[in-house]
Structures are given as C-alpha cells and as structure tokens.
Amino acid sequence: MTRRISGRPVYRMGRGAHWVMRCAGVAIVACCTGLVAGCAGGEDASSVALAFTEVTEEAGLGAYRHENGGFGQKWMPEVVGPGGAFLDYDGDGWQDILLVGGGRWARVSDEPVEALRLYRNLGDGTFEDVSVATGLSGMEVYGFGVAAADYDNDGDTDFFLTTLHENLLFRNDGGRFEEVGEEAGLADEAYWSTSAAFFDADRDGWVDLFVGNYVSWTPETDIPCFHEGDKAYCTPQNYAGVASAFYRNTGDGSFVDATEEAGFSGAIDPVLDKTLGVAELDITGDGHSDLYVANDTERNLLFVNRGDGTFVEAAVRSGVAYDRHGQSRAGMGVDAGVVDSTGETTIFVGNFTQETVSVFRHASGGYFTDRATISRIGFPTMGTLTFGLFLFDADLDGDLDLFLANGHVLEHIAEILEGATFAEPAQLFLNRGDGVFEEALSATGVLAQPMVARGAAYADYDRDGDLDVLLLENAGPAHLWRNDLNEAGWLHVRLEGRVSNGSALGARIEAVAGDLRMERRIRSGSSFLSQSAFPAVFGLGARRQVDSLIVHWPSGLVERFAGVEAGQEVILVEGSGALHPAEPVAGRSGVLR
C-alpha cells in the first residue's frame, strides 16, 4: 500500500532515506506502507492522507501576538516563552484556547500587556475572545507556562500560570475565573518558573502540583554577554539554577509546600536545577505517578514514586540523566508514552542545536536504553533547537507520532554555525508502529514554514476525530493547524473521576482492536509551557470498533468494556460501569456535554 497526499504517491527512496513529498498548498507527507507494522494494525487503510492547514486568521486568533519585552538589552527571560493550552473551560465539549501573552519591562514601558487571552470555541471552526467576560483581562504579569486540572474537584477546569515573579492559580467558578494563588498557598516565592504539572502523587483523589523553576535572574543581576561587540543573550550556564517546588493539595482548596518531605529537594545541588520541562509517567507500572524533569545544561531528573507520594531521584542509575557520552544537554520540551509493541514507556526530550532529541525506552527494572539512533530521531534533529515536543497519533493509525516545535534563541546563530537559522520549521516524525520513525518532509505548506516556536499543544478542536496542532512563537503570533485527515477510524475517551481526582489525571487506558494494542494516559503538563486536551484519542485506521477498552483509574478501580464503536467520543464516570456517548446540547449543533 502506498499512501497518497494530494493525489501523489509517497515513495521510499532506499534504506535510511526519509519519506519526502514535494506537495502543493498546505498538504504534507504522511505515514507508511503496508509492509510496516502498526499502520492500521496491518489492514488496508484505503490510502489515508494526512494534511494540515493553517487556519489561524479564519479561526479568529490572528490578533494575538506574544510580547517578550525586548528592547535591545537582551535580557534572558525574553527568549523563553510563550506557552498555551487547549482546555474546555465552560464544559460544553468544545476545546477552547488559552494563550500566554508575555509582558514588558516596567522600567521601559508603561503600556500594559495582557498576560492571558482566552478564546471560546464557537463550534463552527471559529473562536471569540472572552478574556474580559471570564475575568482574565487586566493581568499584567510576565507569564510563561500553563498547566490545567480540576484541582478543587468541582467539575470544571482550573489552570495555573507560571511567571517571572509570583505564580498565579485561576479557579474556575462556572466559566468565570478568580485568581487565588496567594490564598491557595502557591504564590509564596517569587521565582522564575517555567513548566508545571498537576498530578495525584499520593492517589488521595486531590491533584498535587509540581512547579519547575529555572535560573536566578533579575534585571539587577543581569550578566552582560556580547557577540562581536553587541549585547547578546547569555546561556543558562552563566546563572545559578533555582530548585523546583512541589505542593501537596490539602483538599480544602489550598496547597502546602511539601518539596522536602516528598523527596524533591536535595536531589542535586539546588543551584544546578534549571527546569524547562516536566512529564508525568509510570515507569514501574505500579499505578503511581512518577516524574521526569528536563533541565537546561544540567542533568535531567527522574523522580520515582515510592508508592506513598514520596519520591526517590534515580535518573543517573536509570540511564536518563545524560547523553550516551555522559554529557548534560539543554533539556526543554519533554513527553513520554508507549510507542511500540513492548508496552514499555519511551521518553523524548527536546534539546539544543547539535545535541539531537533524546530518546530513552524503558527496558526493565527502572533502567532505560538510548534509542535516539535506532529510532531514527537522532540525525534529523541534529540541526534544530526543539522547545515544544509532544506525542500524538497524527494519522490515526494507532501508534504515537512525534511533533517538534523548533526555533533558535540567537538571532545571529547563522553567523556562528553554518546552516543554522533563527527561525526553523517544525518537524513531524511518523511512527512505523515499532518505535522507528520517518520524518515527514515538505517543500511547501505548514511544515516548511520557519518560525521561532516555543509552546505546542494538540486537541481535536473541530470535533472531526483527528488531532489539530497549536503553536506559539516567541515575540510572534500563534498558529492553529487544522488536521484534514481523510477517513480513518477513531475513538475518544473522556473520564470523570469520583474516588479518583476529578480530571482523572494518572488514569491509564488500554484499547485493543484486533492485533492492535494501544495505551494512553490522562495527564497534565508535558510538551513545553503548554497543556494539551485531556480526552484520550485512539486511532483505528480502517477498523470500526475497539474490541476491548480497559480503564485503570488512579483509585485502583479497573473497568472493562467490549465492542465500543469507532467514530465517537464516549464519557466514563468512575464506578458507573457504563460508557455514555456524548450527547448534543440544545442550541449548538454537535456540542457535547
């Protein structure tokens, strides 16, 4: 089988070559031949074609632009943001979009910058700015990243914003937000925070919060660095790191700092902790959430849950702290998931130019092997600088593909490194089904578009079954890429916890369709400064049902369902024993509740 894009075949060009498609318009290359394991479980998917279309302007997001405050002094925070999120803030079943606006330096400009912009999904492919109506307008902090969850278990999605100073927690009260960070105990330290993640560390039914902190920087302590006599951005090696923090949810709407008692402090010298990315995973398969932390120019960290909500750091012993030469890398975006038939978790980390993306697959007993080369991710990522990074099933063939949001931090990088550029195209790597990837290349269209990308997230915003992409540029616009995949089977699963936390974070879902076995986790965090949609998405290729669906709740409850039809989103309330198809809400065609 040869998969086609815009009516043209994609040919394999020898051992080790990439799939290349010189296509017109916005279509990009997709997928693999029937000889490769994992494509629709080996069944003929009748020429599934994968294409993304830039729809930012027509969707109503064209007015957004990130502001990094740059005014020629090259202050370090200017190169890091922004992030964004897909989240259903009003519970209508449509994924809304939250964008971080950035900030300006008070000593330079009194003109305010909206720290947040919230866009409500109207269900017709467009969005409206509801920042004022939802209470999010007028926030003038210098923001970076977003993590979302129902932290108070009241049935709606709240979110946390990391900033250069005190972080903010936004409680959702029926579709309107109130900032409660200080009263909730999350604004007690004014550190430069980056990526954060909610997760239920002790499985008590209340989500806790890990906050990644970066380096110790202020305008007063800025270190001048130069390139050919001009001020330039310094590297993080010029600054001391700041230890990250862990907050335990007390269940009464507040959090307490439990960094030390949970085992997160003292893992390494705190001044070396320069966190940019964090991903929740379960490497031991015991049902307890572990954390992988990506640090910039310092070794990465792996916090393994002892089973009681306390952690031991094991990155060096596990083989995921350094590259294969024992060197630290510039860890940024991170994600983890099962990408092959072994059932074992693979960790992916975005790094700096000439460092390649890291690929570590769990082998056994907490030990990982480096698969950057064998996965074919290593060489094609040698020349890029990756911030946003996530796993998703782009072509709905049942396996997880890899998306990279790239962009340099130095405008003059071309003067330093031959072939390097400041703005870089994103990269999409399509999984053959065995954890080996082929890069999708395009001479034109969205994948050929250079950008200075940072945050990246995914969701099915138009509810057509496939997964769309949100990208944000530093000092630039947002990009919404609509996935225009032709017919392929799919199933979306939305969970609502009862004994478990309301967002069902940490739940593991297995789906079996013939000889195709898939696994997904419900998680907050991952990628870089960004939040993807919560529903689990299973691509089925040509199959039209999931034979067996198994949900492992954080509470320990396991629920099983047979013969679930494809082409729908189903809702499972913990303990109900029944899957409920999402039903239309009166007044908006196709809206889910």
Side-chain angles (χ1 to χ4, degrees):
M1 178 187 72
T2 298
R3 298 207 174 183
R4 295 176 178 269
I5 295 89
S6 298
R8 302 179 186 179
V10 179
Y11 296 103
R12 179 142 182 141
M13 301 183 293
R15 183 176 179 83
H18 301 299
W19 295 93
V20 181
M21 188 63 206
R22 310 288 183 183
C23 52
V26 293
I28 64 172
V29 58
C31 221
C32 48
T33 70
L35 299 176
V36 178
C39 274
E43 296 188 2
D44 184 359
S46 54
S47 297
V48 171
L50 175 62
F52 287 93
T53 304
E54 172 96 41
V55 295
T56 309
E57 291 288 341
E58 64 190 74
L61 304 177
Y64 166 85
R65 187 175 181 86
H66 173 251
E67 173 62 66
N68 70 3
F71 65 107
Q73 289 302 301
K74 306 297 183 182
W75 285 353
M76 192 176 176
E78 295 166 4
V79 304
V80 173
F86 282 111
L87 74 170
D88 182 7
Y89 84 94
D90 54 2
D92 65 358
W94 294 88
Q95 293 296 321
D96 310 299
I97 291 177
L98 180 67
L99 305 178
V100 178
R104 291 192 181 96
W105 307 111
R107 65 181 60 185
V108 177
S109 174
D110 293 330
E111 184 179 354
V113 172
E114 291 287 352
L116 294 164
R117 306 306 306 178
L118 179 61
Y119 296 85
R120 180 172 180 259
N121 192 331
L122 299 179
D124 59 0
T126 67
F127 295 78
E128 66 173 344
D129 189 331
V130 293
S131 307
V132 175
T134 56
L136 295 179
S137 182
M139 301 292 169
E140 298 178 17
V141 297
Y142 198 119
F144 290 102
V146 176
D150 180 8
Y151 83 90
D152 51 2
N153 287 343
D154 66 349
D156 47 30
T157 301
D158 317 292
F159 72 90
F160 181 75
L161 175 68
T162 62
T163 81
L164 189 59
H165 305 293
E166 291 184 353
N167 297 320
L168 306 178
L169 177 65
F170 291 88
R171 187 183 65 212
N172 189 340
D173 294 328
R176 185 172 176 85
F177 291 91
E178 181 177 354
E179 202 288 301
V180 295
E182 184 173 358
E183 66 183 77
L186 296 177
D188 54 347
E189 298 289 350
Y191 295 137
W192 176 359
S193 301
T194 53
S195 291
F198 287 101
F199 71 110
D200 189 355
D202 51 6
R203 302 204 304 184
D204 65 350
W206 299 92
V207 291
D208 310 301
L209 178 65
F210 178 90
V211 181
N213 292 322
Y214 194 36
V215 300
S216 180
W217 178 94
T218 66
E220 292 72 28
T221 59
D222 180 69
I223 298 173
C225 294
F226 296 91
H227 171 70
E228 296 185 351
D230 296 323
K231 185 84 172 354
Y233 293 112
C234 290
T235 73
Q237 292 160 312
N238 293 89
Y239 293 92
V242 177
S244 298
F246 171 73
Y247 299 91
R248 198 172 306 277
N249 192 330
T250 63
D252 63 359
S254 66
F255 294 77
V256 294
D257 189 331
T259 308
E260 184 172 354
E261 69 179 59
F264 286 102
S265 64
I268 58 172
D269 185 338
V271 300
L272 299 181
D273 197 1
K274 302 173 183 177
T275 297
L276 286 179
V278 56
E280 185 270 353
L281 67 165
D282 178 9
I283 65 167
T284 60
D286 63 358
H288 295 273
S289 292
D290 310 307
L291 284 186
Y292 186 80
V293 176
N295 286 323
D296 191 2
T297 70
E298 306 295 344
R299 72 177 177 97
N300 297 328
L301 304 172
L302 176 63
F303 292 99
V304 180
N305 198 322
R306 293 188 176 95
D308 60 358
T310 67
F311 296 80
V312 58
E313 204 285 303
V316 173
R317 179 181 65 84
S318 297
V320 294
Y322 304 105
D323 67 12
R324 63 181 58 196
H325 304 296
Q327 300 297 314
S328 299
R329 286 178 277 197
M332 290 172 280
V334 60
D335 204 356
V338 176
V339 298
D340 56 33
S341 61
T342 66
E344 298 289 352
T345 297
T346 300
I347 299 170
F348 297 81
V349 186
N351 293 306
F352 209 77
T353 309
Q354 295 190 308
E355 289 183 338
T356 83
V357 165
S358 305
V359 183
F360 303 108
R361 188 179 71 188
H362 185 248
S364 63
Y367 298 99
F368 288 75
T369 57
D370 189 320
R371 289 179 57 86
T373 299
I374 197 171
S375 67
R376 299 187 185 176
I377 296 294
F379 180 75
T381 60
M382 178 68 77
T384 55
L385 194 161
T386 299
F387 278 92
L389 178 155
F390 59 73
L391 294 164
F392 74 139
D393 190 352
D395 47 11
L396 295 181
D397 66 350
D399 51 45
L400 291 173
D401 309 303
L402 180 67
F403 186 89
L404 308 179
N406 301 321
H408 219 281
V409 297
L410 302 176
E411 297 99 324
H412 58 273
I413 185 60
E415 302 171 17
I416 300 173
L417 183 63
E418 184 178 357
T421 59
F422 180 50
E424 301 174 338
Q427 291 173 286
L428 174 63
F429 291 88
L430 295 164
N431 193 343
R432 300 189 324 186
D434 57 358
V436 177
F437 295 77
E438 299 288 353
E439 186 180 6
L441 301 178
S442 177
T444 61
V446 293
L447 273 190
Q449 177 182 347
M451 62 181 69
V452 186
R454 295 296 185 260
Y458 64 85
D460 179 15
Y461 84 88
D462 52 1
R463 289 195 48 248
D464 64 352
D466 52 34
L467 291 171
D468 314 294
V469 172
L470 175 69
L471 290 160
L472 294 97
E473 290 199 61
N474 181 268
H479 300 269
L480 182 61
W481 291 359
R482 186 184 66 214
N483 191 338
D484 294 323
L485 187 67
N486 68 3
E487 285 194 24
W490 53 272
L491 177 70
H492 293 195
V493 181
R494 178 151 45 105
L495 302 182
E496 296 180 8
R498 289 298 181 263
V499 178
S500 302
N501 65 87
S503 299
L505 300 184
R508 180 169 63 92
I509 309 175
E510 299 176 84
V512 180
D515 58 356
L516 180 64
R517 178 178 290 273
M518 297 162 282
E519 179 178 308
R520 306 287 185 263
R521 289 185 70 80
I522 307 299
R523 296 180 302 166
S524 166
S526 288
S527 191
F528 175 73
L529 306 179
S530 299
Q531 174 74 55
S532 294
F534 286 136
V537 175
F538 297 95
L540 298 173
R543 286 184 162 84
R544 291 296 174 257
Q545 76 167 27
V546 167
D547 302 322
S548 180
L549 186 72
I550 307 167
V551 179
H552 302 261
W553 293 91
S555 65
L557 177 67
V558 178
E559 296 186 87
R560 294 176 171 83
F561 307 90
V564 184
E565 293 185 7
Q568 62 173 331
E569 178 174 317
V570 294
I571 302 171
L572 173 59
V573 177
E574 183 178 14
S576 67
L579 294 172
H580 301 282
E583 299 175 357
V585 170
R588 290 180 66 195
S589 176
V591 178
L592 305 179
R593 66 167 176 229

